Every structure is written in C-alpha cells, then in structure tokens.
Amino acid sequence: MATSVIDPSPRVPADSRRSRKKQDTRNRLIAAADELFERQGYDATTTLDIAEAADVAQRTLFRHFPTKEALLYAELDDARFVLRDALNARPNDEPVLIAIREAMAELGETIVANRERRLLEARLAATTPAVSGHFRAVIQAGWERELIVAIADRLDVDPMQDPRPEVLAGAAMSACRVATRQWTVAEGDADYVALADRALESIAGLGALT
Amino acid sequence: MATSVIDPSPRVPADSRRSRKKQDTRNRLIAAADELFERQGYDATTTLDIAEAADVAQRTLFRHFPTKEALLYAELDDARFVLRDALNARPNDEPVLIAIREAMAELGETIVANRERRLLEARLAATTPAVSGHFRAVIQAGWERELIVAIADRLDVDPMQDPRPEVLAGAAMSACRVATRQWTVAEGDADYVALADRALESIAGLGALT
DNA sequence: TTGACGAATGTCAGTCACTGACATTATGGT
DNA sequence: ACCATAATGTCAGTGACTGACATTCGTCAA
C-alpha cells in the first residue's frame, strides 16, 4: 500500500480493474528499475530507460514515484507503517527499549524475506552517493519519525522538549544500519534479527563506556 | 578549510595572490548565495543567479562547490575537522561520552558564533526538503564518521564488528539535532552548549527508560 | 623583463531528473 | 449508450550539473 505518492480520496472500489492495472504498472516499473539497476548500474540507468522497459511514458513513472531513488526504496519506505503497527502492538508497560527490540525483530523478518532486493539496495547504496543519501534523508528519517512519536507517546513526554525520544530513535536507527551492513557483508547469510537485536541491546550500555 | 571539493597538491604557496583570489571568489559565492536564499528563498534561487551575483561563470560555481546545497553548508561541513581535533584533544582515559560532551561544547561555541547563518540554515532546512535531506545525507553523515573513528579508537574496537561506536555516534548526532532545533525555536536566544550537553547527557539513561 | 608553465576561469553544448499544461484513453456508475 | 473522471500519453519546458576546449592571469626561473 501507500503509493509513495499522494493520492487523496479514491472514489473507486479498492479492487476494481482500474486499480489493479495501476498497481500493475507500479509493479512493472519497480521490476524494470530493479533489473536495469542490477544490469547496468544506477547512474547508467535513466528514468526513460526504466519507463520504456516498463512500457509506459516517462511521465507516468513520475506520477507513481516522486524520484528515481523512490523506485528502489518503495518497499522499505512503506515498511515504516509496519514498524508503527508493530510498536503500537507492544504492551504499554513494557520498557521502551524492549518494545523497540521486539518490534524490530518482528519487522526484521519481513525485511529479510526479500533477500535479493535488500542486497541490491545495499550494493547500490555502497557505490552510489545519491542512493545512500536518499536512504538517510528519506527512508531512515521516515522510520525515525515513527519511532519518535511512538517513544514520546509511551514516555508521555513532548518530543520537542524532551530530547530522549529523538536521541533513542537516532540510536536505534544507527543500530539497524550497523546490523544491515553486517548482514550485507555476510551476503545475507546471517541472522539479521539477531544482529539487529545485539546492536539495539548495546544502547543500554552507551553511558558506561570507558 | 578544505575547499569542499577535491584539489590535491597545490604547487603554490598557500598565501599567494592566486590562492587569495580563489578564496575570494569562494567567499563571494557563499555570500551571494546567502543573500539570495534569504531574499527569495532556496528553490526560487538558481545557481545561475548566484554565479551572476558573485560575478563569475556558472561553471566556476560548480568548480568550487559540488552542489547547490554545499553552498549553504560549506562552513558546517568544514567544522567536522574541528570536531575531530577537539575529540583527539581530550585525554585518553576520559570516558567516551564525557569526551564527546566536552568536544561538542567546544565545537558549539564556534557554531553559534555565526548566529544569523545558523538561523538561515535552519529556516531553509525547515521549509525545503532538499536542504534538510542534504544536511542528513552529507553533513550529519560526515560528522558521524568522525565520531565513529574517534570512538572506535578510544574503545580500541573494530567499528565494523562492534556496533557501539556507530550507535553512540548516531545518538550523539540526534542529540545535536535536537539541541539545534530547540535553539532555533528560541531564535538563537538560548544557551546552545547547555542544550546540547543536556541532550548528550540523556544518552546515558536511554536503557533505563520505562 | 620576459617567457614558459600551470592554475583559475570562461564559454558552450549537452545530459538528465523532474514539472506543468493539455490531449487522449479507459473504467465505473447511471 | 453516456457521462464523469482516473490513468496515461504527449510535449515543451526548467534547472542542476558535466565534459571539452579556449582564455586569462599569477608564478617563477632564466
């Protein structure tokens, strides 16, 4: 869900032929981008290439995705809603860091399911500044916002006054980045959930470092 | 210093007329960008506008700065070397989080000195996604790298294996972002160093949150 | 002083991501 | 069948950035 682009009130049943076709072009665009990025690299692939490979006009591509990078991270961007739901599902009396670890564990399963795509994202992010930049600026920032409001809710504090929600969220996102990098170095042959949990756990000991 | 762009080995004395002129065009470009961003907004200002206001060719602008955003963040980008030096200057037996707080305090003074520019950066980042994105993707990531190597050095661990350096660095950068936001909300009429220190201090208690 | 060398800049043409405006086609409801 | 409108197509831009080559200007040595 979440078309990555703003489309307000659909007056059409969510499962009409129209919406199926729309979803289909969206999927074809993602698949085309995937394959082209894989085959000829990110920078060497133009949005026109992608559109033609998906057999749509370039303009249509930009109606579905706001930027070229969004094509790559469509799935991870939507995953922030999964994160939000997972967080809200944790019991309210659970310590915040525990709740985050549990929610991330749940999310981690979903993430790693698409192993090949995750590895592609990682490869491209490692070689292309535009990609890693977009990840930090858009994807990670989006996840972070979800974390912040969830944490502030639990602590019942104002995240504009109390620095802890944002600081904890930042630490958690860094932990996820580390876990992802380690998982990527291992070519996906590692327990992502365990890696992430270990990194998240380390947050508790940050103040005691020599 | 660090010209924000790669120029390897200058065979010319660092204080020749040539280098002074070069530095001068660089400064004029920054000043021109500053004023135009202030007057007509970020998006409404083209790189050609800036170049003409500084009385150079557009091509020259892009020889001094790799992107339009870099014009805005030239100073903050260079500040990462100040951060590195400040960190290295801290005694080796000092606990890491303390060292970071002290180094940031030192850095904070430098930062807040240019109050008007900081407020301009904040205003633009708050209204223009391209600006806030660049900040996260380039500036903050750069500072974070400095933090990571400094922390890993002190702990004598491999930052690729041990998640703690990167996690702590991420938390610290988030703390700085919070402090900057609070300082900005107060229109610069607040003790930035105190705000940053309070946010950084909160890292120690992250694991104990209910 | 002069002349050679090279750094900084200028000029120009091009690529490519992205956008606004308007025309066309395809669906869904009537 | 008919109309409203969602989805797409077409086209002509704008603007950031780049490569190639010409020109100017500071530096230094003979």
Side-chain angles (χ1 to χ4, degrees):
Chain A
M1 56 144 329
T3 328
S4 278
V5 75
I6 324 95
D7 65 340
S9 47
R11 270 135 190 79
V12 185
D15 193 353
S16 54
R17 172 182 304 171
R18 191 177 270 174
S19 61
R20 262 181 287 120
K21 285 203 169 187
K22 184 175 180 178
Q23 187 63 37
D24 183 59
T25 58
R26 179 182 154 91
N27 292 338
R28 287 209 320 278
L29 282 167
I30 293 178
D34 191 328
E35 200 223 341
L36 288 174
F37 290 159
E38 182 80 63
R39 205 170 62 212
Q40 49 189 15
Y42 183 83
D43 287 330
T45 303
T46 74
T47 56
L48 192 58
D49 289 342
I50 299 171
E52 283 173 352
D55 198 38
V56 295
Q58 189 189 28
R59 193 65 176 90
T60 299
L61 185 157
F62 284 111
R63 285 212 183 83
H64 281 264
F65 301 93
T67 64
K68 184 180 171 184
E69 292 92 18
L71 274 162
L72 186 59
Y73 283 118
E75 190 183 351
L76 274 192
D77 191 38
D78 291 350
R80 70 174 187 274
F81 300 114
V82 182
L83 172 61
R84 173 167 56 189
D85 293 346
L87 278 169
N88 288 338
R90 301 304 310 173
N92 242 320
D93 58 339
E94 196 172 45
V96 189
L97 185 52
I98 303 293
I100 293 176
R101 287 168 64 184
E102 296 292 341
M104 282 294 182
E106 187 177 327
L107 190 60
E109 303 290 356
T110 314
I111 299 293
V112 185
N114 257 341
R115 183 183 134 149
E116 292 310 321
R117 171 155 274 263
R118 294 292 94 73
L119 290 174
L120 172 64
E121 290 163 2
R123 259 195 310 276
L124 294 181
T127 56
T128 312
V131 174
S132 58
H134 180 263
F135 179 80
R136 272 187 177 262
V138 179
I139 309 301
Q140 179 172 323
W143 288 41
E144 212 168 298
R145 273 194 299 276
E146 298 296 341
L147 277 175
I148 291 173
V149 314
I151 297 169
D153 263 14
R154 279 176 181 263
L155 298 181
D156 194 36
V157 299
D158 177 5
M160 289 300 178
Q161 294 299 129
D162 193 321
R164 293 173 302 172
E166 187 156 351
V167 172
L168 178 51
M173 292 314 303
S174 285
C176 290
R177 275 211 321 277
V178 172
T180 302
R181 173 160 35 77
Q182 294 177 335
W183 182 82
T184 302
V185 168
E187 299 284 342
D189 287 334
D191 186 344
Y192 176 77
V193 171
L195 287 171
D197 199 63
R198 188 169 72 95
L200 286 167
E201 187 183 10
S202 78
I203 294 175
L206 251 34
L209 292 183
T210 57
Chain B
M1 45 154 344
T3 327
S4 276
V5 76
I6 323 96
D7 64 338
S9 49
R11 268 137 192 77
V12 185
D15 192 349
S16 55
R17 173 181 302 169
R18 189 177 271 171
S19 61
R20 261 181 286 121
K21 285 205 167 184
K22 184 174 180 178
Q23 187 63 38
D24 183 58
T25 57
R26 179 182 154 91
N27 292 338
R28 289 210 319 278
L29 281 165
I30 293 177
D34 189 330
E35 199 223 342
L36 287 174
F37 290 159
E38 182 78 65
R39 205 171 60 213
Q40 50 189 13
Y42 183 83
D43 287 331
T45 303
T46 73
T47 57
L48 192 57
D49 289 340
I50 300 171
E52 282 173 353
D55 199 38
V56 295
Q58 188 189 29
R59 194 64 176 89
T60 300
L61 185 157
F62 283 111
R63 286 211 184 82
H64 281 266
F65 301 93
T67 64
K68 183 180 173 185
E69 293 92 19
L71 273 161
L72 186 60
Y73 282 117
E75 191 184 349
L76 274 192
D77 191 36
D78 292 350
R80 71 175 188 272
F81 300 113
V82 182
L83 172 61
R84 172 165 58 188
D85 294 344
L87 278 169
N88 289 338
R90 301 306 307 172
N92 242 319
D93 59 337
E94 198 172 45
V96 189
L97 184 52
I98 303 292
I100 293 176
R101 286 167 65 182
E102 295 292 341
M104 281 295 182
E106 187 177 327
L107 191 61
E109 302 290 356
T110 314
I111 299 293
V112 184
N114 258 339
R115 182 182 133 151
E116 292 310 322
R117 171 156 274 264
R118 293 295 93 74
L119 289 174
L120 172 63
E121 290 163 2
R123 259 195 310 277
L124 295 181
T127 56
T128 313
V131 174
S132 57
H134 180 263
F135 179 79
R136 274 187 177 261
V138 179
I139 310 303
Q140 177 172 324
W143 288 41
E144 213 168 297
R145 274 193 299 275
E146 299 295 341
L147 277 175
I148 292 173
V149 313
I151 297 170
D153 264 13
R154 281 176 179 264
L155 298 182
D156 194 38
V157 300
D158 177 4
M160 291 299 179
Q161 294 300 128
D162 193 320
R164 293 174 302 171
E166 187 155 349
V167 172
L168 178 51
M173 293 313 303
S174 285
C176 289
R177 274 210 323 275
V178 172
T180 301
R181 173 161 34 78
Q182 294 177 335
W183 182 82
T184 302
V185 168
E187 298 285 339
D189 288 334
D191 186 344
Y192 176 76
V193 171
L195 287 171
D197 198 63
R198 188 168 72 95
L200 286 167
E201 187 184 10
S202 78
I203 295 175
L206 251 36
L209 292 182
T210 57

